[in-house]
Amino acid sequence: ASSAVRFPLMANTLAPYLDCVRATLSAALCLENFASQDVERHNKPEVEVGTNTELLLNPIVIARTENEIVLIEASVNSLRISIKIKKLDDVDKILVKKFSRFMTQRAESFIILRRKAIEGYDLSFLITNFHTEAFFKHKLVDFILQLMQDIDREISELKLALNARARIVAQEFLKEFAT
């Protein structure tokens, strides 16, 4: 596709992972308006409701490592993307938890971000056919991929800043014992 953007400045393992997520999201974003089969004049995201299994597609899991996973669940009129951010140690777990909480508290600003992530994942997005009618599909995909990159970078920067601050505090504390 001509709109596909390569990620040349990243580590070699991140670019194929993001390319795979991009291709899968682009293919899964063929959503259409589909009225509820149970209630007249209702149009609910079938991936959330889940009452009619014939309207749900098989979920797709894309994993870079066992700690970094994207789950894509599609239906006829909606798409749910769940992201598990890598957490290598306890500091990463705390930072990811705080960052996820920060993002979900501002979910209405991000429009497609869900307030509560799926169990076992850190962030979840819900894209309905109304979102694909209001926004460009490739821009929705670009937003999610850019967010995945930015979260990884932010967590790394926060961890470096935390370690630097802890080092300074420890040095100041230990100066009292040296004199």
Side-chain angles (χ1 to χ4, degrees):
S2 61
S3 66
V5 177
R6 295 286 303 170
F7 305 99
L9 301 176
M10 289 180 272
N12 289 337
T13 59
L14 187 58
Y17 172 67
L18 291 176
D19 285 342
C20 184
V21 172
R22 174 184 297 283
T24 307
L25 285 177
S26 297
L29 273 176
C30 53
L31 307 175
E32 62 182 44
N33 194 3
F34 190 83
S36 173
Q37 292 179 333
D38 300 327
V39 182
E40 210 172 306
R41 293 189 170 179
H42 278 200
N43 186 342
K44 303 217 183 221
E46 290 295 332
V47 76
E48 293 281 310
V49 178
T51 54
N52 300 321
T53 56
E54 67 270 4
L55 301 176
L56 301 174
L57 300 174
N58 292 331
I60 300 169
V61 176
I62 303 170
R64 182 176 175 206
T65 64
E66 66 261 358
N67 297 324
E68 199 169 2
I69 300 171
V70 174
L71 171 67
I72 300 171
E73 301 168 286
S75 71
V76 68
N77 67 349
S78 56
L79 178 73
R80 183 168 52 199
I81 303 117
S82 301
I83 300 171
K84 183 176 183 181
I85 303 166
K86 69 177 175 182
K87 298 177 277 292
L88 301 176
D89 56 12
D90 290 337
V91 174
D92 280 345
K93 288 178 185 174
I94 292 168
L95 290 174
V96 167
K97 182 179 176 185
K98 294 288 185 186
F99 195 81
S100 298
R101 187 167 177 263
F102 174 83
M103 293 287 290
T104 55
Q105 285 178 339
R106 291 149 182 83
E108 63 276 348
S109 299
F110 291 101
I111 301 170
I112 61 171
L113 183 65
R114 292 181 78 231
R115 282 208 173 273
K116 188 166 181 355
I118 300 300
E119 185 73 30
Y121 291 88
D122 301 306
L123 290 174
S124 289
F125 299 91
L126 178 67
I127 300 174
T128 65
N129 62 298
F130 300 115
H131 294 125
T132 58
E133 292 168 4
F135 305 111
F136 292 116
K137 291 179 185 180
H138 68 279
K139 292 292 186 183
L140 289 170
V141 173
D142 289 344
F143 170 74
I144 292 171
L145 292 174
Q146 187 64 46
L147 189 68
M148 288 172 65
Q149 291 174 337
D150 290 347
I151 288 172
D152 198 30
R153 183 173 39 249
E154 280 292 321
I155 298 296
S156 297
E157 289 174 4
L158 285 170
K159 191 173 180 181
L160 287 173
L162 181 69
N163 287 338
R165 190 171 178 182
R167 187 180 308 110
I168 292 169
V169 168
Q171 286 173 345
E172 291 299 318
F173 179 73
L174 293 175
K175 279 183 185 177
E176 296 296 320
F177 296 109
T179 56

